[in-house]
């Protein structure tokens, strides 16, 4: 069952992995640039970015991308492949965590499948971001802790500590908060137990729990200490990296210089990245919090849910917040809910499944009809969207047929509609509305060998560099006296107005979505796009736009 689940998850997540028509995240371009530059310079142990050791991120993420590029060749697919495999592996760990407590194989596979169909997995399995590795390592560390909770062998506690220590090379020392909270929650439940008479019955366990905490954190931080020693002894930039590693990147999130972002961002992260099963997961988590469980598995499930909520609250403390900060916690919620309901009557899941199915039906139909309206107003064909709305209605009809529906029947239809929803997103909706920063059609900018990008954000140049691997890309700020427009380079004006030196002609334009697209602008179908301009020097290989296809001066690249 686990092998089948892993293969199906890889097949589900693989489509469009090498495409830029995905839900993007800004830091990915810097990560890709670091991986490729490190391979080019041979600086594998200490990854490089813009000629210097990358001080912004710990090295584990880059090492996996470098290894994949060296094995499969440099490409976006190779660099994103580790993320896909790590999320698929996380699903397998959820399955085995549930099986550890003797839950049925089908039940365990259903819970793991629900996780693999969430928007968080769907998005970040196709990105070169540290969230995939953080999620996998936290789930692996928690799985080893669960084995320890079951058999009390400190060998597994030590293994969990070492995994947590390795994870610090992904997130930094604050990762200890994640895994440490799970262990502390377990210790609290078992050590602080009192008899009806008021006597402290957990006193004997208290010292054992303290020893567990000391052993766990000592081994975890030892991994970090070893890496720090290697870093400072082998790299002249080692001390600078550790300063950024410990203070700027992690403690800097608490700095008063960073604007305090809205506290609802973290909470909305749960709502967003648990889709399309957000109602089911949040409702079952709430019920597990409010009602105790008499069995060991149910109690352990509640510990994981409480741990996930505790770390969520901790994420509210820094000034810097983002929706995806909760991604590593979602597997804990799925395992916790799975364990809590594993010994309950199946009918206890009937209500949450029904409400989630209704929610998913409404979202599916509204999204499909909205896309049909967009296609109609933009003159695009809408057959795939019509098919999706018809498919969702067909699943809804099957839901209505039996007068009395079993829980298994509800699970099957909910997973079927959820699978269709995610396939619609990745194969139809996102590619059809994607307007890439760099056109992919032959000709035009794809033929450029020496490019100057004028933009307010220097990282825009990384997007062009990664998308055009054979092109030398430089960056200049709009209006800068010292710039890269030397009449020998092609020029891209990216959301900027800058006078060009004499001798340039307009070779290509394309449109991208407006940066701050308002609801009013959407309704009146006005000002949806920003236009990007590509100029070439006179006398270049092509100083005519006549040969360009639809992606030339008069059209948008789609």
């Amino acid at each position: 069952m686990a092998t089948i689940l892993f293969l199906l998850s890889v097949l589900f997540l693989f489509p469009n992995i090498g495409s830029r028509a995905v839900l993007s995240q800004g830091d990915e371009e810097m990560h890709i640039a670091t991986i490729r530059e490190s391979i080019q310079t041979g600086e594998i142990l200490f990854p490089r970015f813009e000629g210097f050791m990358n001080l912004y991120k710990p090295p584990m993420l880059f090492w996996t991308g470098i290894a994949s590029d060296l094995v499969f060749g440099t490409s976006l697919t190779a660099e994103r492949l580790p993320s896909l495999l790590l999320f698929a592996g996380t699903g397998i760990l959820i399955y085995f965590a549930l099986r550890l407590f003797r839950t049925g194989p089908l039940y365990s596979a259903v819970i793991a499948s629900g996780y693999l169909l969430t928007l968080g997995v769907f998005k970040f399995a196709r990105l070169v971001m540290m969230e995939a590795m953080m999620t996998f390592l936290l789930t692996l560390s928690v799985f080893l802790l669960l084995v320890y909770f079951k058999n009390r062998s400190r060998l597994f506690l030590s293994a969990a500590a070492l995994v947590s220590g390795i994870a610090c090379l992904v997130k930094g020392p604050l990762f200890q908060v994640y895994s440490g909270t799970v262990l502390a929650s377990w210790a609290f439940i078992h050590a602080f137990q009192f008899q009806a008479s008021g006597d402290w019955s957990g006193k004997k366990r208290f010292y054992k729990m303290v020893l567990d905490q000391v052993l766990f954190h000592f081994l975890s931080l030892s991994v970090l200490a070893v890496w720090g020693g290697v870093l400072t002894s082998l790299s002249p930039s080692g001390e600078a990296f550790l300063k950024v590693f410990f203070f700027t990147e992690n403690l800097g999130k608490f700095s008063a210089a960073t604007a305090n972002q809205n506290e609802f961002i973290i909470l909305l992260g749960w709502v967003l990245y648990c889709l399309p099963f957000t109602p089911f997961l949040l409702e079952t988590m709430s019920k597990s919090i409010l009602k105790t469980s008499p069995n060991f598995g149910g109690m352990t499930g509640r510990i994981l849910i409480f741990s996930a909520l505790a770390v969520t609250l901790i994420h509210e403390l820094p000034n810097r917040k983002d929706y995806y900060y909760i991604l590593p916690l979602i597997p804990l919620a799925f395992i916790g809910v799975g364990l809590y309901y594993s010994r309950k009557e199946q009918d206890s899941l009937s209500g949450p499944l029904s409400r989630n199915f209704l929610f998913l039906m409404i979202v599916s139909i509204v999204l499909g009809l909205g896309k049909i309206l967009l296609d109609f107003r933009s003159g695009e064909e809408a057959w795939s969207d019509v098919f999706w709305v018809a498919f969702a209605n067909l699943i809804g009809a099957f839901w209505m047929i039996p007068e009395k529906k079993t829980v298994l029947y509800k699970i099957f239809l909910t997973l079927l509609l959820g699978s269709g929803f995610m396939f619609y997103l990745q194969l139809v909706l996102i590619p059809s509305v994607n307007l890439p920063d760099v056109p992919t059609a032959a000709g035009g900018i794809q033929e450029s060998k020496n490019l100057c990008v004028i933009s307010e954000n220097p990282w825009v140049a990384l997007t062009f560099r990664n998308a055009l691997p054979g092109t030398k890309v430089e960056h200049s700020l709009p209006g800068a006296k010292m710039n890269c427009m030397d009449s020998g380079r092609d020029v891209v004006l990216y959301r900027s107005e800058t006078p060009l030196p004499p001798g340039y002609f307009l070779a290509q334009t394309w449109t991208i979505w407006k940066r701050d697209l308002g609801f009013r602008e959407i309704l009146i179908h006005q000002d949806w796009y920003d236009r990007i301009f590509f100029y070439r020097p006179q006398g270049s290989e092509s100083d005519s736009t006549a040969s360009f296809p639809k992606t030339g001066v008069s059209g948008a690249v789609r």
Side-chain angles (χ1 to χ4, degrees):
M1 182 68 79
T3 303
I4 295 173
L5 181 64
F6 180 81
L7 293 176
L8 288 176
S9 63
V10 171
L11 291 174
F12 171 76
L13 296 171
F14 193 81
N16 290 353
I17 189 176
S19 169
R20 292 190 174 272
V22 297
L23 297 173
S24 61
Q25 197 73 30
D27 287 356
E28 188 194 29
E29 299 294 350
M30 185 268 282
H31 299 160
I32 294 171
T34 300
I35 290 168
R36 295 181 180 180
E37 183 177 337
S38 301
I39 293 175
Q40 292 170 359
T41 59
E43 295 285 349
I44 306 299
L45 186 59
F46 305 110
R48 313 285 287 184
F49 176 62
E50 298 289 346
F52 300 94
M53 188 173 76
N54 192 325
L55 302 177
Y56 300 101
K57 302 289 182 181
M60 281 288 289
L61 171 69
F62 305 128
W63 288 341
T64 59
I66 290 170
S68 187
D69 267 354
L70 292 176
V71 172
F72 300 106
T74 300
S75 69
L76 199 55
T77 299
E79 288 146 2
R80 288 173 172 173
L81 185 61
S83 295
L84 184 153
L85 296 176
L86 287 167
F87 273 114
T90 302
I92 299 304
L93 287 173
I94 293 174
Y95 173 83
F96 282 119
L98 295 172
R99 294 288 290 141
L100 183 66
F101 289 81
R102 300 185 183 280
T103 61
L106 181 60
Y107 176 87
S108 302
V110 165
I111 297 294
S113 298
Y115 167 74
L116 291 168
L117 289 171
T118 58
L119 183 62
V121 174
F122 161 81
K123 175 182 176 179
F124 285 88
R126 295 174 177 82
L127 295 176
V128 186
M129 295 288 289
M130 66 173 63
E131 276 60 41
M133 186 169 292
M134 282 178 56
T135 302
F136 175 80
L137 290 176
L138 177 61
T139 309
L140 177 58
S141 180
V142 168
F143 173 76
L144 293 169
L145 286 176
L146 293 179
V147 178
Y148 167 67
F149 296 163
K150 287 277 288 185
N151 61 25
R152 301 296 197 275
S153 170
R154 283 205 171 97
L155 175 65
F156 292 100
L157 177 66
S158 302
L162 293 176
V163 170
S164 183
I166 293 171
C168 288
L169 301 182
V170 181
K171 178 65 175 176
L174 287 182
F175 186 90
Q176 281 299 103
V177 175
Y178 288 76
S179 52
T181 300
V182 177
L183 185 61
S185 300
W186 169 265
F188 182 85
I189 293 295
H190 284 76
F192 292 95
Q193 293 182 354
F194 296 88
Q195 297 177 351
S197 60
D199 294 336
W200 182 14
S201 59
K203 184 176 181 179
K204 294 181 179 178
R205 303 189 191 98
F206 179 78
Y207 300 105
K208 178 178 178 295
M209 297 296 177
V210 170
L211 181 60
D212 287 347
Q213 295 285 336
V214 171
L215 176 64
F216 182 84
H217 292 289
F218 174 78
L219 290 175
S220 297
L221 297 178
S222 294
V223 176
L224 199 57
V226 170
W227 167 242
V230 172
L231 197 63
T232 53
S233 61
L234 297 183
S235 173
S237 304
E239 291 185 7
F241 179 87
L242 292 178
K243 181 179 179 180
V244 174
F245 189 52
F246 284 104
F247 299 102
T248 306
E249 179 63 20
N250 284 294
L251 296 182
K253 296 177 181 180
F254 296 86
S255 171
T258 303
N260 189 13
Q261 295 172 302
N262 195 302
E263 285 74 10
F264 285 104
I265 287 178
I266 300 297
L267 300 179
L268 288 175
W270 279 99
V271 175
L272 177 65
Y273 286 125
C274 292
L275 289 171
F277 305 118
T278 302
F280 173 83
L281 188 65
L282 295 185
E283 181 178 348
T284 51
M285 287 174 66
S286 301
K287 290 182 176 179
S288 66
I289 292 171
L290 297 174
K291 190 174 181 180
T292 60
S293 176
N295 61 76
F296 181 68
M299 181 193 68
T300 305
R302 294 186 78 225
I303 288 174
L304 294 181
I305 292 172
F306 276 115
S307 300
L309 294 179
V311 177
T312 299
L313 293 176
I314 292 171
H315 273 305
E316 297 286 3
L317 299 178
N319 292 337
R320 195 188 312 168
K321 306 175 183 71
D322 211 321
Y323 302 102
Y324 63 83
Y325 285 3
I326 56 88
L327 279 174
L329 307 176
I330 296 177
L332 273 63
F334 272 90
I335 297 173
V337 167
L339 289 177
Y340 181 81
Y341 283 91
S342 62
R343 294 292 181 266
K344 291 184 175 293
E345 294 292 332
Q346 286 191 350
D347 288 343
S348 60
L349 293 175
S350 181
L353 284 170
S354 297
R355 286 181 280 275
N356 195 101
F357 184 86
L358 178 61
F359 164 82
L360 186 51
M361 276 292 300
I362 294 173
V363 171
S364 299
I365 294 174
V366 170
L367 191 63
L369 292 177
K371 180 58 171 52
I372 290 172
L373 178 61
L374 177 64
D375 291 337
F376 176 75
R377 302 194 70 173
S378 59
E380 300 289 334
E381 291 188 356
W383 291 112
S384 56
D385 307 295
V386 171
F387 176 80
W388 163 245
V389 173
F391 175 80
N393 278 279
L394 180 63
I395 299 299
F398 275 105
W399 181 277
M400 299 297 294
I401 289 173
E403 185 176 342
K404 187 176 182 181
K405 293 174 279 291
T406 65
V407 170
L408 186 60
Y409 186 78
K410 290 184 176 183
I411 289 174
F412 173 75
L413 289 184
T414 303
L415 287 179
L416 182 60
L417 185 57
S419 301
F421 181 81
M422 301 311 293
F423 270 115
Y424 173 69
L425 281 183
Q426 71 178 350
L427 299 180
V428 178
L429 183 62
I430 293 174
S432 66
V433 300
N434 178 63
L435 295 176
D437 284 347
V438 185
T440 56
I445 196 170
Q446 289 291 331
E447 296 177 349
S448 179
K449 300 300 180 186
N450 208 346
L451 185 63
C452 172
V453 177
I454 308 296
S455 67
E456 295 179 359
N457 187 348
W459 281 27
V460 170
L462 295 180
T463 302
F464 284 83
R465 186 181 303 167
N466 294 333
L468 304 169
T471 304
K472 183 178 179 181
V473 180
E474 302 290 340
H475 174 265
S476 292
L477 294 171
K481 292 183 178 180
M482 298 293 292
N483 57 63
C484 51
M485 296 184 292
D486 57 4
S487 299
R489 294 184 177 94
D490 301 331
V491 175
V492 167
L493 297 185
Y494 186 92
R495 288 181 171 140
S496 61
E497 296 181 3
T498 299
L500 274 72
Y504 277 97
F505 70 95
L506 181 62
Q508 187 181 12
T509 72
W510 61 94
T511 55
I512 60 176
W513 291 108
K514 194 173 182 178
R515 181 182 298 160
D516 299 314
L517 192 59
F519 186 68
R520 179 177 177 275
E521 294 163 326
I522 294 175
L523 289 180
I524 65 176
H525 195 257
Q526 184 178 3
D527 297 328
W528 286 10
Y529 311 107
D530 285 331
R531 186 166 288 276
I532 311 302
F533 300 91
F534 173 60
Y535 295 86
R536 307 200 75 174
Q538 296 287 349
S540 60
E541 294 181 11
S542 172
D543 53 5
S544 170
T545 61
S547 62
F548 288 157
K550 297 177 182 178
T551 59
V553 173
S554 61
V557 177
R558 293 198 64 134

